Amino acid sequence: MQGTSFMNMQDFTEFDQSRLKFFKLPENLSRFSAKRNNAKISKEHDIREIFPLDANIVDAGCGVNPYKKYFPNLIGFDFVDYGNQDYVCKILDAPIELESQDGVLCLGVLHECPDDYHLPNIEKMLSWLRPGGLLIMRHKKETEADYEERRKQHGFWIGIGSWPRSRIDEFTNNLNVNLEWIVEHSTKRTFKHDGQDLKKTFDGHIWCWRKNV
């Protein structure tokens, strides 16, 4: 990973277009537009206890921008227009000033992307943080067998970037960050396939990186 920069990421135009098409399907727009009223980002962590309410925070891939009601200085963006975010854009295109933020949230965004996508986007988000700032990530993991089965069922990109714990440790060791905490989590999802609802539980991790001074 060393020596890579978000300025020289390869072209993912086709991937981005397929991703946007997927999230704009009516059933997915409806699902991801659901209101979230819970301030907890994990069973153990309430976002209002992690950051002061006047903190400068970016929610990258904010969906319906649920945390804006807690943090008036929060900037939320998503590459799908849900109607209430500050910007409609990708991480690499977000107009965030360097070292201007106390925290960045990226909850369940990059695990939907191929591996080559991860490092440039993480570097970009870290560039927004002040020294000592926090980047909180949520990522799912799968066994190789589950991944292959889901690929057979759906036939497109979804899930191709699922991480094992070793991937988190690899990034921690190669970036200027400390792993403050990490917890396991499970998320239940329903997918449409051949007119039927397929239910799947995704296991993964939520963790917090602190940018070193």
Side-chain angles (χ1 to χ4, degrees), residues 29-173:
L29 274 176
S30 175
R31 177 160 60 94
F32 289 108
S33 294
K35 299 298 182 183
R36 287 180 288 173
N37 296 312
N38 195 342
K40 283 200 167 187
I41 56 176
S42 76
K43 292 180 180 179
E44 298 87 351
H45 298 94
D46 187 311
I47 191 172
R48 295 168 299 183
E49 298 174 355
I50 297 174
F51 298 105
L53 298 184
D54 62 351
N56 293 324
I57 301 173
V58 170
D59 191 348
C62 67
V64 296
N65 212 4
Y67 303 122
K68 183 77 168 184
K69 60 189 174 188
Y70 305 121
F71 300 96
N73 297 332
L74 183 145
I75 299 171
F77 68 85
D78 202 293
F79 83 130
V80 178
D81 188 356
Y82 291 99
N84 57 354
Q85 62 262 58
D86 295 285
Y87 303 108
V88 179
C89 64
K90 298 182 297 182
I91 291 172
L92 294 179
D93 300 325
I96 310 298
E97 294 184 13
L98 298 179
E99 297 192 351
S100 63
Q101 301 298 310
D102 302 302
V104 176
L105 308 175
C106 188
L107 304 176
V109 177
L110 292 183
H111 62 199
E112 305 289 11
C113 305
D115 277 347
D116 290 344
Y117 217 82
H118 295 147
L119 179 60
N121 283 274
I122 291 171
E123 285 183 328
K124 184 71 169 180
M125 291 187 290
L126 287 173
S127 77
W128 303 334
L129 287 173
R130 300 185 177 103
L134 303 179
L135 171 57
I136 299 178
M137 302 275 292
R138 184 175 71 223
H139 227 85
K140 67 189 175 206
K141 64 179 181 179
E142 290 183 286
T143 65
E144 189 66 24
D146 284 345
Y147 162 66
E148 290 297 336
E149 179 61 28
R150 199 149 58 90
R151 289 284 289 177
K152 290 177 183 177
Q153 290 178 352
H154 301 290
F156 47 79
W157 54 264
I158 189 164
I160 60 179
S162 299
W163 284 15
R165 169 62 194 266
S166 60
R167 184 79 163 147
I168 300 170
D169 294 335
E170 180 184 359
F171 274 91
T172 303
N173 292 332

